[in-house]
Every structure is written in C-alpha cells, then in structure tokens.
C-alpha cells in the first residue's frame, strides 16, 4: 500500500513576456494551484520566465528534478514567439517531432477553418515520446512528457486541459483548510496565533491582513491533511480569539 | 556617460503559501512589472516560493547575483508566518537587528492604537545595514538592503512603497510598446508576424490570442526601446495585415 503520509509536489513554470511586462495579469498560478490541491498535490514553487530558450531550459531542469510533477503554461501556439516545445525538448535532450495524433486532431479542427497550414501544423510538434492532453476548447492539444505537463497560456483553455487531467495523477492526502476571520489587527494576536499553531502538530496557520471599510481585519487560514486535527485547531483558535474579546466569523470575512 | 544601450534587469520573489495554495490571486507580479517598465528596468524572472526559509534563501541568492535589482513581496508582517526578514538576512549572511528609524515610525503609528507591543516591534526588524522604504498606507515600512527591496504582500501597501521608490533607481531606456488587434486566428498570420519581426531589428512582436463574442482574435504587442523603430514596425505590421484583408484596431481589441 502507498505511504499515506507521502507528500506529492509539483512546480509550475509560467512562460511569457506578457506576464513579465505587466501587460497580462496571470490567472494560471491560482487555477493550477487550486486544481493541484484537490488532486492531493502541493504546488511548491512557481517561476515566471520570458520567451527565451535558456531561461525555460534552466527552470525545467531544476524543477522537474525536485518535484513529482512539472506543469508549464504558455508558448504552445502557432506563432514565432511560441518556443515552449523546442525549449522543453532541449531540456530533455530529445528531438522535436510531429505527433500523428495531434496532426489528426488539428486536421479535423481546421477542416472547416481554412485547412491545416504549415503554421498550424507547428501545434502538432512535441518533444519526442510525448502523449497528448485533450483540449476541449480549441484545436491544439496540450502535451504530456513523463512527469511534465505542457499547457496553454490562455486561462480558459488551460482550465479545460486541467479538467481532462482530473483524477489521472497520483497524489496524497489533500491539504484541507478552514478559514476564520476577525476585525482585528494581526499584530494584536500574533502571540495567540503562534501559540495555537505550536499546540497543534501538523497544522499551519496563515494570517492574511486586510483593510476594508476603513477598518483593519485579518483572515486566518488553518491547513492540515488531517480533518480531526484541522477541526481541533480551528476550534481552539476561535475560542482563544473569542476569549480575547474578538468576534470570529466562520469562513472568513 | 552611462551606456544608453545597457539593459537593467530585476527579479521578483513572491513569498507566501497563500499564493501557492491558490487561495489568493497574486496582484503583485503585474504591478511590480508595470512599475519597473516605467523605470527603464526589465523584469526578467519571478519566483513564487513558500513561507520556508531554505526556499527563500535559494531564490534570493540566485536572483540577486544575476540581476541589477531584486524585489520581494510578502512575509514582513508581525505574525509567526512572516519570515522574510530572517530568510533574507540568512541569505546575505548578516544579523537581524532592530532598525531605530523603523522603531520610531512604529511607535508613532501605534501610539493611538494600543502601543508598540513585542509582536509589532517585529516589524522593525531588518537585515543589518538596511534602509527603510516608506509606507504611506500603514505603519510598517519596507526595507532596502543594497540592491534588494523587501516589500509588503498586501497589494495596495506594495503600491505605496513602489510609489515612494519611483525615480530613485537607475534604469535604462524604457521598453516602449504598441498594441494592435485583429479578428483573426493567429495561426493564419504566423508567417506574416515572424517576417515582420525579422525585418525590424530590435523589435519583438508578441501574439496574444483570445476568444470573445464567439469569435477568434489576437492582439499583437510590438516592443522596442527605440520609438522610431517601434512606429515603423507597427506601421508595417498594420499595413501587412490590412493587405491580407484584416481590419486592424489600433490599441488592440
């Protein structure tokens, strides 16, 4: 039987000058992170790198070696700035080849859209030995090569690819979380938070301050893989806050 | 005189479990990226790391060595999960000390807010030898240590810190950009884009597809540090698209 305490990890590389220029607000980090959590896989590190082969190769080789899974988003389209497939093939030391399954998918998709041109055929190129990730949203599939998952940059297309991968990756216990909130400056209850975390092994408490409606507040996120521990820690933290005179809002403010 | 062609670079480390869990949508990458662009500094790489000292140390030491500037966001509050200052001090091999200027700021800020407790005094801790970055939004200042800028995680506080740094960092020529858009599948004009980029040295063209109102379109972002080159490339790309029968929308769709 698999070790139930094993922690499965993933890294994500977001590829694209448009994120590093500030032109585009990234949406993929949050959606990949949330999806991984449900699969019982922890997102350990994200790197955003430019459309530059050496930068992609360095990130791929570092992150794939120390995580169970590596995901990438961006740079798999038909244009000259889409270099992800070539860069990952270079990182793996394999050739780039046309995937016949991808060619068939693209042929079908473009049959009524002007035909499969040479530019469009670029989207059938994969690092040799790869499988496809179905794309329910548009023509070009994603690519799986061993523990590497190469996905689109456009968030709704990535969402569809993640959907297709749901339940197919081995993971561990999902990291459960509970959130409570108070209208309190986190600096007033820093000791209380630290003491509560120390009192509950295998629980982490994160403190996330905010300023709204002219007032200071904070949400506290308790995380654990163990539901009983999580509930106990959450209950203790709530009780300690209430004893301190603060009203606790379950689910956060 | 300084070399006008020198490219100044920066890296950003986003520190926080809440980003890696997907709970919080990061806003700092885009705002730091945009702000750096205006300062004539290119954001070259971003890493998102957890609230784990070793992960922060590795990222700090790699990225500060190969960039002119390093920015961090997150983990500088008063609670137990705020470990950025300790981690950066460890990376630099310096002690953590109380900054007397920061103590004075916090004393003033908390004078009418319950006083400067030990937890709040945590926010006056800096890697030895650091200066402060003014925080116009709330009490705790940001920290500058050489080419490292340690900022808040809450986006509006970070925005205020960036505002205070505006114009104070040496940079090069800003990377200018122009955007045009078409209702076209980017795969139809991939060759045209590549040829136009090749014809204009020192210009990059990025292609950003989208799907809206049931139709496929793409925006094309042309970037250069030279305004004349940028205008010429943008005009040539527009003309080529119009010759192909596509209506070009200046500024993008």
């Amino acid at each position: 039987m698999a070790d139930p305490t094993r922690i499965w990890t993933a890294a994500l590389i977001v590829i694209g000058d448009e994120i590093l220029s500030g032109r585009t607000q990234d949406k993929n980090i949050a959606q990949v992170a949330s999806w991984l959590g449900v699969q019982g896989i922890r997102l350990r590190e994200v790197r955003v790198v430019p459309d530059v082969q050496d930068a992609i190769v360095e990130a791929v080789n570092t992150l794939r070696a120390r995580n169970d899974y590596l995901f990438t988003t961006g740079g798999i389209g038909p244009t000259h700035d889409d270099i992800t497939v070539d860069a990952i093939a270079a990182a793996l030391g394999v050739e780039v080849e046309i995937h016949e399954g991808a060619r068939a998918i693209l042929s079908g998709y473009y049959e009524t859209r002007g035909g499969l041109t040479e530019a469009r055929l670029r989207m059938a190129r994969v690092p040799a030995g790869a499988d496809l990730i179905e794309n329910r949203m548009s023509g070009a599939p994603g690519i799986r090569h061993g523990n590497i998952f190469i996905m689109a940059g456009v968030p709704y297309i990535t969402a569809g690819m993640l959907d297709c991968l749901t339940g197919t990756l081995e993971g561990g216990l999902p990291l459960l979380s509970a959130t409570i909130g108070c209208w309190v400056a986190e600096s007033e209850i820093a000791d209380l938070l630290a003491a509560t975390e120390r009192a509950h092994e295998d629980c982490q408490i994160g403190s996330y301050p905010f300023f709204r409606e002219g007032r200071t507040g904070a949400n506290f996120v308790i995380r654990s893989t163990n539901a009983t521990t999580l509930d106990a820690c959450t209950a203790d933290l709530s009780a300690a806050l209430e004893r301190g005179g603060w009203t606790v809002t379950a689910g956060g403010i």
Side-chain angles (χ1 to χ4, degrees), chain A:
Chain A
M1 197 185 133
D3 175 4
T5 63
R6 174 172 172 188
I7 293 174
W8 294 74
T9 70
L12 168 65
I13 306 175
V14 174
I15 299 164
D17 291 347
E18 72 278 18
I19 308 294
L20 291 173
S21 74
R23 178 183 179 275
T24 300
Q25 162 71 55
D26 169 74
K27 303 274 176 61
N28 284 324
I29 297 174
Q31 79 165 342
V32 171
S34 301
W35 180 86
L36 283 169
V38 177
Q39 314 307 307
I41 300 166
R42 310 257 179 108
L43 181 59
R44 269 285 163 76
E45 183 172 6
V46 179
R47 296 192 185 179
V48 187
V49 300
D51 300 322
V52 171
Q53 177 155 325
D54 289 351
I56 301 171
V57 168
E58 180 198 293
V60 166
N61 279 337
T62 303
L63 297 180
R64 76 189 176 102
R66 66 187 188 197
N67 289 281
D68 295 305
Y69 302 107
L70 173 63
F71 290 76
T72 73
T73 59
I76 63 166
T79 57
H80 65 284
D81 55 339
D82 292 307
I83 64 165
T84 297
V85 166
D86 297 85
I88 292 179
L92 300 177
V94 302
E95 297 296 309
V96 172
E97 63 183 19
I98 296 286
H99 188 291
E100 290 306 322
R103 185 208 294 267
I105 290 167
L106 292 164
S107 284
Y109 184 79
Y110 286 112
E111 194 172 0
T112 58
R113 294 176 173 88
L116 184 56
T117 59
E118 198 167 324
R120 288 165 170 172
L121 189 60
R122 267 178 66 81
M123 295 186 281
R125 298 166 75 247
V126 302
D131 297 315
L132 303 182
I133 303 170
E134 190 187 343
N135 171 359
R136 295 174 184 169
M137 306 295 165
S138 58
I143 300 162
R144 173 177 185 164
H145 195 293
N147 68 342
I148 305 178
F149 298 80
I150 305 167
M151 301 187 298
V154 178
Y156 84 92
I157 298 179
T158 306
M161 291 178 178
L162 290 173
D163 208 32
C164 291
L165 291 172
T166 297
T168 66
L169 304 190
E170 191 169 5
L173 294 174
L175 190 60
L176 307 174
S177 73
T179 304
I180 60 178
C182 274
W183 290 104
V184 61
E186 60 170 0
S187 59
E188 293 186 49
I189 43 105
D191 293 343
L192 183 162
L193 292 174
T196 307
E197 187 182 85
R198 273 197 307 273
H200 294 271
E201 214 178 332
D202 301 327
C203 268
Q204 297 86 46
I205 302 177
S207 173
Y208 305 111
F210 58 81
F211 187 76
R212 284 184 218 149
E213 306 162 30
R215 298 160 71 196
T216 299
N219 285 311
F220 310 109
V221 179
I222 305 98
R223 294 190 184 91
S224 177
T225 53
N226 183 312
T228 307
T229 309
L230 182 76
D231 288 347
C233 183
T234 306
D236 282 1
L237 180 58
S238 293
L241 288 165
E242 296 272 5
R243 274 199 305 276
W246 293 284
T247 302
V248 172
T249 303
I253 295 170

